[in-house]
Amino acid sequence: MPEPVAPIKNQVDEAEAKDAGRDLPLSYARTLSSLSLAVVLLTNLALSFFISNSARETLLTRQENFMRVLVENLNYQIFRRFALPTILANGRISLRQPSQYERLDQVVQSVIHGLPVDRLRIYDFSHIVAYSTNKEELGRSGLAPPNVEDVLHGEASKFQIISNIPAWQAPFRIPFADGDFVLRVLYPLRGEPLQPDMPPPVMGALEVTQDITDDYEQVLTFQGIIVIMCLLSSMVMFALLLMLIHRAERVLAARMQKTRQLERELHSNEKLAGMGRVISSIAHEIRNPLGIIRSSAEFLQKRMDKTDAGAARILGAIYDESVRLSQTVNDFLDYARPRQPRQDTADINLILDQTLAFLEGEMGRCGVSVERQTAPGLFVLGDKDLLYRAFYNILVNGQQAMDGPGVLRVSADRDDRGRVRLEFLDSGKGFDPAVLPRLLDPFFTTKDGGTGLGLPIVQSIIVSHGGAIEFENSPQGGALVRVLLPAAPQGKKAV
Ligand SMILES: Nc1ncnc2c1ncn2[C@@H]1O[C@H](COP(=O)(O)OP(=O)(O)OP(=O)(O)O)[C@@H](O)[C@H]1O
Ligand SMILES: [Mg+2]
């Protein structure tokens, strides 16, 4: 069974489209768009980090300011309402005495009452807890943070976020549990300066902690939303850009393909025009003497002695060959100087009737049967004589390919684009895949007596009617020639 092959027209189109795609000046735009995606993505990410970071900073600054005011007020109240009266009354401060502790606690509680403070401690110079809102911690050592020493030596207050969740993991561990993020401030607890030009003495270190988990979680959620939105918007932009480029590429490829086709047609037309001039002058020189040879042979055939069989055979051969030669000359002329088709409304069924009727005798002699399946009412705008010529060439090729008895199937209908579709399928060996790309080359033939102009003429006729021709091997064997022609507008009268 012959190997099925794709229609050669489509093969050429695909190859051209690929070529066109390769040469496209837009191909660099793809790289550019990928780069731009990377740039947009990075910029967006940087921007989103910047925005959310500044939101975090604002939150921390707000909390720090609040804590600063709180600890300064605490310091003032502790000194005025506890330290000074206690020293004046007892000579020294000893928080181990319950009465002193109670008094300090009252002062502290009155200041922090209703404020978001979790814990408050005061460390003495031995880093021991001298006061804590949690009475059980009183007198314990080892609870002071490492930088307490700096504060005890009078350094400025220190703010720190304390968490056991690493910063980089935090965005992925939302929601947090209470106390996951705590803001701690260490502040030197000061008294009044002993002399006006001396710095106020440090009495201990004040530590205040505040749970900022909720605020921190809000900032991180905000940061996540910004990052995701940026990513999504970049992706959408990129997809749109790609779609645009893809579309532009397709349009450009189609245009380039069209331009190439036009160039090729122009080139081939130029070649044909040159060839046509030469051939028509040669044909003119050949046709007249050929006509004389043919009519002379015919004349001699009539007048000669019927008993001389040898001479009759020679004259018959001269006559037949001169007829064949003048047909070949006419083919050359048809190919080299294609006629402009008339624009009549032609009935495809009628043309097929005439062609098949003409070939009936010859086909019958060879044992070829014709199976015809044609829909009624198929009209095209064109030249019925030229279309007759085209169908005739295709049918003769089919009959020759079968080389003896066989079946020729002819079908005609409308395709899904409303075009008139004719299919000629023979039961021969099918197209040799090796010669398939050359079928439309002028003078290409595999037959002894062929000119190789049959299919090029068919193609030129079909194309001049705005149609297309396709060649393929049918899956069930045999060569299939498909002709597609634009249907005639409704309402025109057939001739
Ligand atoms: N139905 C077919 N089955 C197999 N091969 C075909 C068929 N039709 C055409 N061909 C191949 O295509 C070639 C070119 O055909 P074309 O009609 O152009 O010229 P030709 O038939 O050889 O010569 P001419 O048409 O002048 O008699 C043929 O020689 C043949 O090899
Ligand atoms: Mg032929």
Side-chain angles (χ1 to χ4, degrees):
M1 192 163 78
E3 181 190 340
V5 282
I8 59 168
K9 182 179 167 295
N10 296 353
Q11 284 174 350
V12 172
D13 283 357
E14 272 167 28
E16 274 181 357
K18 265 189 200 155
D19 278 359
R22 217 177 298 129
D23 302 349
L24 281 183
L26 271 181
S27 57
Y28 79 96
R30 275 175 186 280
T31 328
L32 210 68
S33 60
S34 305
L35 273 177
S36 68
L37 171 74
V39 171
V40 170
L41 214 67
L42 288 177
T43 317
N44 274 350
L45 278 179
L47 207 67
S48 63
F49 276 114
F50 175 75
I51 293 171
S52 48
N53 233 30
S54 66
R56 211 181 81 156
E57 293 298 315
T58 312
L59 165 82
L60 288 180
T61 315
R62 199 160 50 85
Q63 305 282 14
E64 280 177 16
N65 287 342
F66 162 74
M67 293 286 255
R68 183 168 289 112
V69 173
L70 178 72
V71 289
E72 277 171 5
N73 186 29
L74 261 171
N75 192 160
Y76 180 76
Q77 297 290 342
I78 289 172
F79 183 73
R80 287 277 154 188
R81 288 169 56 195
F82 169 72
L84 208 58
T86 307
I87 290 171
L88 287 177
N90 304 327
R92 60 188 285 265
I93 293 172
S94 168
L95 289 169
R96 305 268 164 123
Q97 288 179 25
S99 59
Q100 285 196 18
Y101 175 84
E102 287 304 324
R103 193 161 177 179
L104 175 59
D105 196 40
Q106 270 174 12
V107 173
V108 170
Q109 293 298 342
S110 70
V111 176
I112 65 171
H113 178 72
L115 297 177
V117 171
D118 291 341
R119 195 184 59 209
L120 192 148
R121 285 184 195 145
I122 296 173
Y123 301 101
D124 66 12
F125 282 89
S126 325
H127 302 183
I128 289 174
V129 180
Y131 170 81
S132 169
T133 43
N134 178 4
K135 207 171 171 184
E136 286 165 11
E137 292 175 354
L138 222 61
R140 280 178 59 184
S141 59
L143 295 178
N147 48 358
V148 71
E149 192 59 36
D150 303 339
V151 173
L152 286 170
H153 280 94
E155 270 193 24
S157 48
K158 297 202 179 306
F159 291 88
Q160 204 179 1
I161 292 180
I162 304 160
S163 172
N164 45 16
I165 300 176
W168 66 271
Q169 279 185 15
F172 310 104
R173 291 187 44 185
I174 292 175
F176 303 126
D178 278 350
D180 273 350
F181 289 89
V182 169
L183 178 66
R184 176 172 66 195
V185 57
L186 262 181
Y187 185 83
L189 192 65
R190 291 177 189 275
E192 289 285 308
L194 301 175
Q195 284 170 15
D197 51 344
M198 277 180 70
V202 177
M203 300 188 300
L206 185 67
E207 183 199 53
V208 182
T209 55
Q210 185 194 356
D211 186 358
I212 56 164
T213 309
D214 283 350
D215 288 344
Y216 205 80
E217 189 174 307
Q218 266 181 25
V219 170
L220 283 185
T221 311
F222 173 63
Q223 185 172 12
I225 291 173
I226 292 182
V227 171
I228 289 172
M229 293 297 285
C230 285
L231 278 176
L232 282 181
S233 59
S234 312
M235 292 302 198
V236 169
M237 252 180 61
F238 183 63
L240 284 176
L241 205 68
L242 273 190
M243 244 169 63
L244 221 73
I245 291 174
H246 196 64
R247 214 182 132 69
E249 268 181 357
R250 276 212 320 258
V251 172
L252 210 66
R255 287 212 185 132
M256 283 170 85
Q257 193 180 338
K258 183 105 193 134
T259 313
R260 284 196 187 151
Q261 193 182 338
L262 286 176
E263 275 171 6
R264 253 200 332 267
E265 274 169 21
L266 191 72
H267 189 62
S268 123
N269 283 349
E270 277 168 2
K271 247 173 46 186
L272 284 183
M275 197 165 84
R277 277 192 297 276
V278 177
I279 287 178
S280 49
S281 55
I282 296 173
H284 181 76
E285 293 302 314
I286 292 176
R287 246 196 321 194
N288 288 346
L290 210 56
I292 296 168
I293 293 171
R294 196 180 59 207
S295 52
S296 309
E298 206 173 3
F299 176 74
L300 283 175
Q301 268 179 326
K302 281 180 193 149
R303 293 203 50 189
M304 67 168 290
D305 182 0
K306 301 280 179 225
T307 52
D308 190 349
R313 211 177 52 245
I314 291 168
L315 276 176
I318 291 173
Y319 178 79
D320 289 347
E321 286 304 306
S322 59
V323 168
R324 202 180 65 81
L325 204 57
S326 64
Q327 181 55 46
T328 306
V329 170
N330 287 340
D331 279 353
F332 278 142
L333 281 175
D334 281 344
Y335 181 68
R337 288 189 314 192
R339 204 175 84 200
Q340 223 19 58
R342 286 199 310 268
Q343 293 294 299
D344 302 328
T345 303
D347 184 344
I348 290 294
N349 275 302
L350 217 64
I351 303 171
L352 282 175
D353 285 346
Q354 287 166 356
T355 325
L356 290 169
F358 184 77
L359 287 170
E360 203 177 11
E362 180 63 17
M363 297 231 190
R365 264 193 299 283
C366 300
V368 173
S369 62
V370 176
E371 284 180 12
R372 179 173 167 177
Q373 211 176 11
T374 49
L378 300 173
F379 296 100
V380 300
L381 208 58
D383 190 321
K384 66 179 173 40
D385 294 336
L386 289 180
L387 290 174
Y388 172 93
R389 187 90 195 275
F391 300 162
Y392 173 87
N393 273 341
I394 297 171
L395 286 165
V396 168
N397 273 354
Q399 184 214 325
Q400 290 172 345
M402 289 185 288
D403 195 20
V407 185
L408 243 174
R409 291 185 178 83
V410 181
S411 70
D413 59 0
R414 277 175 191 270
D415 73 355
D416 46 8
R417 286 165 58 187
R419 296 176 298 184
V420 173
R421 171 176 54 197
L422 288 122
E423 288 189 344
F424 302 87
L425 172 65
D426 60 52
S427 58
K429 288 199 192 98
F431 295 110
D432 178 352
V435 308
L436 205 59
R438 303 188 56 198
L439 287 184
L440 295 175
D441 287 356
F443 310 113
F444 172 77
T445 179
T446 55
K447 298 169 195 166
D448 284 344
T451 62
L453 284 171
L455 289 180
I457 289 172
V458 172
Q459 195 220 18
S460 125
I461 292 172
I462 300 303
V463 169
S464 72
H465 281 76
I469 185 163
E470 295 172 358
F471 304 94
E472 61 186 82
N473 283 327
S474 155
Q476 59 268 40
L480 174 70
V481 181
R482 186 178 298 116
V483 172
L484 296 159
L485 289 165
Q490 301 282 319
K492 289 223 173 186
K493 211 167 169 294
V495 290

